[in-house]
Amino acid sequence: MLKYKGKPAKRLFDLSDGVYLRTGNVSKCALPVQEGIERFVRKWRRGDACWPAYEAAFEGAVRTFANLINAPAGSVCTLENTSMGISMAAQLIAPPPGSNVVVDDLTHPSNILPWSTRADVEVRYATSADGAVDPQAIAELVDERTAAVDVCHVSMAIGFRHDLDALAELAHAAGAYLVVDAAQSAGLVPIDVQASGVDFLACPSFKWLHGTLGAGFLYVKPGLSTLGPPPIPGWMAARDPQNFAIRDIMLHEDARRLQRGVNNGVGLVAVEEGMNMLMEVGPDRIWRHVSDLATQLHDGLVELGLAVRSPGNAAERAGIVTVAVEDTREAVVNLYHEGIHPGPYIPGELRLDIAFYHDREDIERTLAAFKKAVVNKRQRTGAARR
């Protein structure tokens, strides 16, 4: 069991309704996050008295996220969502007509739309097998016309985890950029953008960073912010936003030039508190803890005879374990009755997201519920049909 300031991490969340396994969709609001928002709202009730708190949250959130992914100063800007980050990366890369972008078939629509809306750019899909994407499947699609390799670091559907180091090397050898959607990894999986060579990385705050909806981050490797003009130029991209000499506006030369207007104040307060919570518990400790629980859950579901869609290799997993079920809706209802809350995002599958506040008892309870609500029910149904 992990602890926060000497107390069980579970106490940070309202878990009275059972085992919540949907953090990869929306994290439950942690107590430190709630308290941070409430402090901000008390200032906000006095109008612009909240502005200093907003500025402090912006600076603190950017700094903490940069530390979390080992990004250099000035290489991170804030976002409203991951889709915006991938789209901004695509506009900066600006693939010329006749070029291609390589993705895989486990990716999210956010990683397709910025490229597929260009009729003169080909989107190539690497095919997954047995819940994983072989880097060679991507390599075979990359050529001299490849503008970018775009992947979800951890896939939304089944939790497959890419090797970013290998993909960066592959993309750069062809003169292409590596664009990473870290929605299902940032805050959980260790990320070192400098060591791995990632070019662009975007993520939201409301999943594994334990913030709220409507805020996120974009990392841009130093030197790439000026590939083109800011896709969505805004007031906060200026070196001195408080200087209203409109005939003499100077933009930052790093990722800060990609800021738009005023940021999501409540969102930044929330994600700063969420990340501070992660830092207090310890990112490496969290990763080891969740990895162990994911293996316990994966192996337990396999032992129950269920078809687990997530990779069997722990080196290719993160905090998501996905299992196939015959009737998604029925399985969800039956598991709810046992106090288990899975994610029914794709028909025929249930996704189980393990967070740092879970423990071995939660996994044992989940496995017992699956045995009762899914396996035994399937066996009873099968016997009745015979």
Side-chain angles (χ1 to χ4, degrees), residues 101-109 111-112 123-134 137-138 141 149-152 154-160 162 309 346 349:
V101 173
V102 178
V103 301
D104 65 73
D105 62 5
L106 297 180
T107 198
H108 190 276
N111 300 79
I112 302 298
V123 178
R124 297 179 174 179
Y125 293 82
T127 303
S128 60
D130 300 322
V133 180
D134 189 330
I138 293 177
L141 299 178
V149 173
D150 183 330
V151 299
C152 292
V154 174
S155 73
M156 170 265 181
I158 61 175
F160 167 73
H162 278 286
R309 295 214 53 218
I346 296 178
E349 298 177 358

Side-chain angles (χ1 to χ4, degrees), residues 151-338:
V151 299
C152 292
H153 185 194
V154 174
S155 73
M156 170 265 181
I158 61 175
F160 167 73
R161 175 162 55 98
H162 278 286
D163 180 342
L164 298 184
D165 297 48
L167 291 182
E169 183 177 354
L170 188 160
H172 296 163
Y177 298 101
L178 176 61
V179 180
V180 177
D181 175 342
Q184 300 296 349
S185 61
L188 176 60
V189 181
I191 298 174
D192 186 331
V193 291
Q194 295 190 81
S196 63
V198 169
D199 296 302
F200 300 89
L201 181 145
C203 72
S205 70
F206 60 91
K207 300 178 186 291
W208 309 96
L209 294 178
H210 299 280
T212 188
L213 291 86
F217 302 98
L218 173 65
Y219 159 77
V220 182
K221 181 187 288 186
L224 300 185
S225 306
T226 54
L227 282 175
I232 312 174
W235 175 46
M236 299 301 287
R239 295 183 186 178
D240 182 8
Q242 303 299 334
N243 180 357
F244 295 99
I246 60 175
R247 296 179 184 274
D248 188 29
I249 299 175
M250 299 292 290
L251 299 183
H252 285 285
E253 291 300 318
D254 53 24
R256 292 173 292 179
R257 71 190 278 111
L258 303 178
Q259 290 289 161
R260 280 94 36 231
V262 176
N263 302 275
N264 178 347
V266 173
L268 291 174
V269 167
V271 70
E272 183 187 18
E273 294 292 345
M275 291 188 295
N276 287 342
M277 178 178 65
L278 297 178
M279 290 299 193
E280 170 70 25
V281 177
D284 291 339
R285 188 178 296 114
I286 289 173
W287 173 234
R288 290 193 300 270
H289 177 75
V290 172
S291 296
D292 289 345
L293 295 184
T295 296
Q296 179 189 357
L297 179 58
H298 177 281
D299 295 351
L301 292 169
V302 171
E303 289 177 7
L304 289 175
L306 295 171
V308 180
R309 295 214 53 218
S310 300
N313 181 358
E316 297 178 333
R317 287 200 306 267
I320 293 172
V321 176
T322 300
V323 60
V325 293
E326 294 179 1
D327 187 322
T328 305
R329 183 172 182 177
E330 180 183 53
V332 167
V333 170
N334 292 338
L335 288 167
Y336 272 18
H337 289 159
E338 301 299 322

Side-chain angles (χ1 to χ4, degrees), residues 81-91 95 101-104 107-125 150-152 179 181:
N81 48 62
T82 310
S83 295
M84 176 176 285
I86 302 299
S87 291
M88 291 173 70
Q91 290 184 59
V101 173
V102 178
V103 301
D104 65 73
T107 198
H108 190 276
S110 295
N111 300 79
I112 302 298
L113 290 169
W115 315 105
S116 65
T117 51
R118 285 275 306 273
D120 54 358
V121 173
E122 177 189 6
V123 178
R124 297 179 174 179
Y125 293 82
D150 183 330
V151 299
C152 292
V179 180
D181 175 342

Side-chain angles (χ1 to χ4, degrees), residues 29-79:
C29 182
L31 184 58
V33 174
Q34 177 184 336
E35 292 172 342
I37 293 173
E38 289 171 348
R39 287 193 298 271
F40 180 77
V41 170
R42 285 196 292 271
K43 293 182 173 67
W44 182 16
R45 286 175 62 84
R46 306 200 310 271
D48 64 5
C50 71
W51 190 266
Y54 152 75
E55 290 185 319
F58 168 69
E59 293 171 2
V62 169
R63 181 173 59 251
T64 304
F65 181 73
N67 290 337
L68 193 63
I69 64 171
N70 192 32
S75 63
V76 172
C77 67
T78 61
L79 296 168

